[in-house]
Amino acid sequence: QVQLVESGGGLVQPGGSLRLSCAASGYATMGWFRQTPGKEREGVASITGGPTTYADSVKGRFTISKDNAKDTLYLQMNDLKPEDTGIYYCAAANGLRTFCRGGSCGPSLQERDFDYWGQGTQVTVSS
């Protein structure tokens, strides 16, 4: 049975940082999604072997990475804003999932491309 277990969420002040972790191994594509209040779940960042994709709203602030030795996926979140508040989900796919936009291609941020999901971890950004 596939298990993706997120950790690292919590309460942080605006401008602060958090690092989310997801214990998982052996997946060709992995990503982080979030569901913020009043909105549908959206892709935040994804990674294959090396290439990464980020949502425009988090570029320059969030970094996705994998430690294959520890079987762990990370999301380093810096300069957090109140609009980053939400439930963050780890997701994984068995195969390479890519999409192309504006002439460049990278790991997918589409929900439909991911096969497995974690239960989510709450991130709250508030003063």
Side-chain angles (χ1 to χ4, degrees):
Q1 185 175 354
V2 175
Q3 281 192 314
L4 301 178
V5 181
E6 304 98 336
S7 61
L11 173 64
V12 64
Q13 291 187 342
S17 298
L18 281 175
R19 188 176 76 161
L20 304 183
S21 301
C22 174
S25 65
Y27 300 105
T29 306
M30 296 197 71
W32 290 97
F33 289 73
R34 70 184 179 189
Q35 185 150 26
T36 55
K39 295 184 179 181
E40 294 185 354
R41 190 158 60 182
E42 62 174 349
V44 174
S46 59
I47 187 169
T48 52
T52 57
T53 300
Y54 294 93
D56 289 342
S57 59
V58 306
K59 279 181 182 176
R61 300 188 298 123
F62 291 11
T63 302
I64 187 172
S65 62
K66 283 198 306 182
D67 186 331
N68 292 324
K70 295 183 178 179
D71 293 335
T72 303
L73 177 75
Y74 299 101
L75 184 68
Q76 177 66 45
M77 305 186 293
N78 297 329
D79 190 23
L80 282 160
K81 303 176 180 182
E83 52 264 41
D84 295 317
T85 294
I87 302 174
Y88 283 70
Y89 299 90
C90 175
N94 289 320
L96 286 174
R97 303 285 189 263
T98 60
F99 84 114
C100 299
R101 179 178 64 181
S104 65
C105 300
S108 174
L109 276 177
Q110 302 296 314
E111 273 197 66
R112 63 175 179 266
D113 288 334
F114 289 81
D115 306 310
Y116 310 108
W117 296 83
Q119 294 299 307
T121 185
Q122 177 70 44
V123 171
T124 302
V125 184
S126 175
S127 56

